[in-house]
Amino acid sequence: MPCVRYILNQKEPPVTVRLYKRITSIGSDKNNDICLPAGDILPTHAHIYFDGSHYWAFSLDRNRLLHVNTKKVHNHRLEHLDQIQLGRIQMDFFLHDEIENQPVQWEVTQLHAYKKMLEFSRKVANQVSISDLLNTLLDAVIDLTEAEKGMVLLLDQEQPRVEAARNMQKETIQNALDKVSDSIITQVQQSKQPVIVSDALSDDQFKTSSSVINLKLCSVMAVPLLDKGDIFAILYLGNDNVVNLFNQESLDLLCVFASQATLLLQKALLLQKLQTDNHNLENRIKHLHYGDIIGSCAAMKSVFRSIDKIAPTNVSVLISGETGTGKELIAKRIHDLSPRASGPFVTINCGAIPENLLESELFGHIRGAFTGAVATRDGKFKAADGGTLFLDEIGELPLQLQVKLLRVLQEKTITKIGDTKPEWIDTRILSATNRDLEKAIELGRFREDLYYRINVVKLPLPALRDRNEDLFAIAKYLLHKYTKEYNKNIKGFSKRALAAIRKEKWPGNIRQLENHIKKAVILCDHAWIEPQDLDLDEHDIEPIMPLAEAKERFQRRYIDEILTRNNGNRTKTAKDLCVDPRTIFRHLEKSGNQEDPEEIRGGSP
């Protein structure tokens, strides 16, 4: 078998390397077939290439030519006993050394391929990103097939896009798409079969291709990556210096790698899509955030605009809304945007503390003021000095405490229980209620003068059922929050679950939605949240009806509404709706509510 022999160290015996591969790489890098660790030799310095008939020596750097038999050359067809000088090392070429059968050479190549495949499989186990995965794949197949370059092209709406490109030095290739033959890629796309081109410039099918001519291509292999019969990527290898480099055995080995790459790439692309979707969701939620509040509907935007105006002032604000609508979050946002943001934000729920303890909680007490008062203690007003006091559910405040609260608001002083000395405080009051305080005033349960003190600005919050634009964003934010908190692998809501969420009236508002989602995340043992996980009945969801039927239903309901508003007067209803009175008469006939048709022909409205 042909071989080369060289001496690295005069104290050591010569090294003999048999040339069983089609391309034998030579350089100072240890990954070369022949490693020459010398400072004047490049990491990949030269190749010895077998074209099927002759052996050739190639320099891979035009600035460092080879010395063959003392002559400077870029490439040279080797003869028996030729001498190749690389830096300080002389290498002797032997065309006739040991004769072995060709099958042995293929067996050695095949063994090398299996080793590369095993090495590749071990490496990809630790790869996370698509870029690292594809770079590892390309480095392996380039080394195996002795190509100059390799690329993975993803098809985006059938248009190729280079996802990874490497050369034999394990470097990323820039502008790689410009180095690919359009005609060869098109052939693979149309046939869905691997393509091997031994000499592109002489190939009958491709020699007239402008991309082949312009790029001066020699050897090319391209293998499609298929998903359910459709091409989603192409593995492309090429060598622009050597013809007849690739053969059927090379293509077979590349197809094996391609089959592995298909599974790995599909999994990585799916993971990348999930990560991208998650990132987009987080960005969208951040865009919807107003501090700790999520909202983009018109009603919430109006609330946000009001907060921006009132936060810098010191006025008292009454936040109204159903339970669970986020009144405390709104109060906290007002505090955070105010000049008092560096001061304390103190909350007290006026409906959660017994009446006999509430006064002490608000104003504090001195030692001995009552049984159990073993020490002097400040109340919430004092604790909030220099900041904001949030009085939640102020409608539950007893009347006698309403009087004392009114005095605090008027005089800016408090007096502890059992004490006679008032203390000046600087505290902003924010209040909240889910009750109708104006009705409570009529019933004598709430002082009118206190109401006007705390209600300098009223900030009503919409119920969750009136925030359709925000509903899904809030639900997805809560799902993301609790899947992360409880370390659950849940991808999202199913379409049925989203429909059930929209259909539900949510009387408990955001707090109720949060509890349903938290329970679903904890108990769910599958990838997607379903209606039953949320304790929602998907059978209550109205079925989708044809558009014509939906229009007809709306028209019937609307005509009935206008008839009711007009006390059943059909003539006025027809006039208001700009329709012929007979239209109203036919509507009443269908609904079984026909009255005297005489009114249609005349009569006063």
Side-chain angles (χ1 to χ4, degrees):
M1 171 180 280
C3 64
V4 291
R5 187 172 298 153
Y6 58 92
I7 298 174
L8 284 176
N9 193 321
Q10 297 296 332
K11 298 180 180 179
E12 297 178 0
V15 178
T16 301
V17 178
R18 295 191 178 98
L19 303 177
Y20 64 87
K21 296 174 67 175
R22 186 174 291 271
I23 286 184
T24 301
S25 59
I26 307 170
S28 59
D29 190 278
K30 63 181 181 180
N31 291 319
N32 288 290
D33 300 309
I34 300 176
C35 178
L36 304 178
D40 52 356
I41 294 179
L42 297 175
T44 304
H45 197 110
H47 279 173
I48 296 178
Y49 163 65
F50 179 62
D51 65 4
S53 301
H54 303 92
Y55 282 86
W56 295 76
F58 281 91
S59 170
L60 298 179
D61 188 339
R62 296 187 181 277
N63 296 323
R64 293 200 185 185
L65 301 179
L66 298 176
H67 291 75
V68 180
N69 301 327
T70 70
K71 292 182 179 180
K72 290 184 178 182
V73 294
H74 172 63
N75 59 74
H76 178 80
R77 196 181 83 178
L78 295 172
E79 302 289 347
H80 186 55
L81 299 180
D82 274 350
Q83 293 181 338
I84 309 168
Q85 189 75 31
L86 296 95
R88 64 176 179 79
I89 297 175
Q90 177 179 304
M91 187 176 291
D92 297 322
F93 173 75
F94 296 89
L95 185 59
H96 311 293
D97 193 351
E98 298 179 8
I99 304 300
E100 298 186 24
N101 294 328
Q102 182 65 23
V104 175
Q105 178 179 341
W106 167 238
E107 289 172 6
V108 173
T109 304
Q110 198 172 30
L111 178 61
H112 177 68
Y114 289 141
K115 286 181 179 178
K116 280 292 177 186
M117 199 176 303
L118 178 61
E119 179 184 339
F120 167 69
S121 300
R122 287 173 176 169
K123 284 183 178 179
V124 297
N126 299 319
Q127 304 296 340
V128 177
S129 69
I130 290 183
S131 177
D132 291 341
L133 175 71
L134 295 182
N135 286 342
T136 301
L137 168 69
L138 291 174
D139 289 344
V141 295
I142 288 173
D143 185 63
L144 176 67
T145 60
E146 297 163 345
E148 252 189 340
K149 60 192 174 190
M151 305 171 199
V152 174
L153 299 98
L154 294 183
L155 301 183
D156 186 5
Q157 297 181 350
E158 297 188 355
Q159 295 300 314
R161 169 173 57 85
V162 176
E163 189 69 17
R166 303 280 277 182
N167 59 24
M168 62 193 339
Q169 286 81 28
K170 295 181 172 54
E171 299 168 337
T172 298
I173 302 174
Q174 303 299 325
N175 302 319
L177 193 59
D178 297 336
K179 301 176 176 61
V180 173
S181 168
D182 296 337
S183 56
I184 293 176
I185 293 299
T186 301
Q187 171 69 17
V188 175
Q189 287 182 260
Q190 292 176 349
S191 67
K192 297 183 180 181
Q193 297 294 324
V195 170
I196 181 169
V197 183
S198 298
D199 185 357
L201 289 171
S202 301
D203 190 279
D204 292 338
Q205 184 176 358
F206 299 111
K207 64 182 180 182
T208 58
S209 166
S210 58
S211 61
V212 169
I213 295 171
N214 293 334
L215 296 172
K216 299 179 180 179
L217 300 181
C218 291
S219 300
V220 178
M221 277 196 300
V223 176
L225 307 185
L226 302 174
D227 178 24
K228 298 178 182 178
D230 295 324
I231 299 179
F232 72 94
I234 295 174
L235 184 56
Y236 181 100
L237 295 174
N239 192 309
D240 299 339
N241 293 315
V242 180
V243 297
N244 299 314
L245 173 62
F246 305 130
N247 53 28
Q248 187 59 45
E249 288 83 1
S250 302
L251 186 61
D252 291 341
L253 291 173
L254 185 61
C255 289
V256 173
F257 268 86
S259 63
Q260 279 196 336
T262 298
L263 298 174
L264 293 167
L265 188 55
Q266 284 176 327
K267 182 178 179 180
L269 287 171
L270 177 60
L271 178 61
Q272 185 184 61
K273 182 179 184 303
L274 291 173
Q275 291 173 338
T276 301
D277 291 345
N278 188 48
H279 179 69
N280 291 340
L281 174 60
E282 288 180 351
N283 286 340
R284 183 167 176 262
I285 289 174
K286 286 179 182 177
H287 178 70
L288 296 176
H289 268 255
Y290 181 76
D292 293 329
I293 308 162
I294 296 175
S296 63
C297 67
M300 289 306 296
K301 286 182 178 179
S302 176
V303 171
F304 299 157
R305 287 193 294 269
S306 297
I307 291 174
D308 290 336
K309 293 175 182 177
I310 63 179
T313 71
N314 207 34
V315 299
S316 298
V317 180
L318 177 62
I319 306 166
S320 63
E322 298 177 8
T323 182
T325 49
K327 295 186 287 293
E328 184 172 348
L329 284 176
I330 294 294
K332 183 66 167 61
R333 184 61 177 168
I334 294 173
H335 169 77
D336 290 341
L337 293 178
S338 75
R340 299 172 176 268
S342 59
F345 177 79
V346 180
T347 299
I348 183 170
N349 190 323
C350 300
I353 301 174
E355 183 176 343
N356 60 335
L357 297 178
L358 185 55
E359 183 177 0
S360 175
E361 284 292 319
L362 284 171
F363 306 111
H365 61 260
I366 64 172
R367 180 181 178 185
F370 51 83
T371 303
V374 296
T376 298
R377 180 172 173 237
D378 290 333
K380 299 294 187 183
F381 272 99
K382 188 64 176 177
D385 192 20
T388 303
L389 177 63
F390 175 54
L391 300 174
D392 198 9
E393 304 303 345
I394 195 171
E396 307 299 326
L397 197 67
L399 282 171
Q400 62 175 4
L401 289 183
Q402 292 179 29
V403 176
K404 294 189 176 183
L405 176 60
L406 180 62
R407 186 177 300 116
V408 172
L409 294 175
Q410 290 173 337
E411 300 177 3
K412 303 295 183 182
T413 62
I414 60 168
T415 303
K416 291 185 175 72
I417 298 175
D419 199 0
T420 58
K421 181 182 178 181
E423 298 177 73
W424 185 84
I425 57 165
D426 176 25
T427 304
R428 183 181 188 177
I429 303 298
L430 302 178
S431 310
T433 184
N434 63 356
R435 295 177 59 179
D436 185 348
L437 293 186
E438 293 180 354
K439 187 175 182 181
I441 291 170
E442 294 176 4
L443 297 173
R445 295 174 183 170
F446 200 85
R447 293 183 62 92
E448 186 174 9
D449 48 2
L450 177 61
Y451 175 72
Y452 290 116
R453 278 285 183 180
I454 63 174
N455 187 27
V456 177
V457 175
K458 189 172 185 179
L459 207 58
L461 300 186
L464 184 59
R465 59 183 171 274
D466 298 326
R467 298 174 58 187
N468 282 337
E469 297 173 46
D470 300 337
L471 183 57
F472 288 164
I474 294 171
K476 290 177 180 178
Y477 166 77
L478 293 171
L479 179 65
H480 176 72
K481 173 183 175 181
Y482 288 114
T483 50
K484 188 175 181 180
E485 180 177 333
Y486 295 111
N487 195 27
K488 299 295 289 287
N489 186 23
I490 297 174
K491 296 179 180 178
F493 296 103
S494 70
K495 292 182 179 179
R496 294 188 301 275
L498 290 174
I501 288 173
R502 185 178 289 281
K503 178 68 177 178
E504 181 67 25
K505 297 300 182 183
W506 301 111
N509 290 289
I510 298 172
R511 187 178 296 117
Q512 181 188 8
L513 174 64
E514 182 175 16
N515 290 338
H516 278 257
I517 291 175
K518 185 189 294 187
K519 174 255 180 187
V521 169
I522 293 172
L523 299 181
C524 182
D525 55 2
H526 35 265
W528 298 90
I529 297 287
E530 297 291 346
Q532 59 269 23
D533 299 314
L534 295 163
D535 288 335
L536 300 179
D537 187 359
E538 62 180 316
H539 298 296
D540 292 338
I541 303 172
E542 292 183 3
I544 297 175
M545 66 182 70
L547 183 59
E549 184 181 346
K551 287 180 178 178
E552 184 179 352
R553 283 195 182 187
F554 171 78
Q555 180 173 303
R556 288 201 302 267
R557 286 197 301 267
Y558 192 63
I559 292 175
D560 287 339
E561 180 183 336
I562 304 304
L563 277 168
T564 301
R565 189 183 300 180
N566 290 332
N567 296 317
N569 189 316
R570 291 169 287 179
T571 302
K572 187 174 188 309
T573 298
K575 184 178 180 180
D576 289 343
L577 296 176
C578 300
V579 297
D580 191 283
R582 293 179 180 80
T583 300
I584 308 301
F585 181 64
R586 285 193 295 269
H587 166 76
L588 293 172
E589 275 188 327
K590 289 181 180 179
S591 61
N593 191 25
Q594 183 179 2
E595 296 181 3
D596 185 6
E598 189 67 28
E599 187 182 340
I600 296 178
R601 293 188 292 271
S604 60

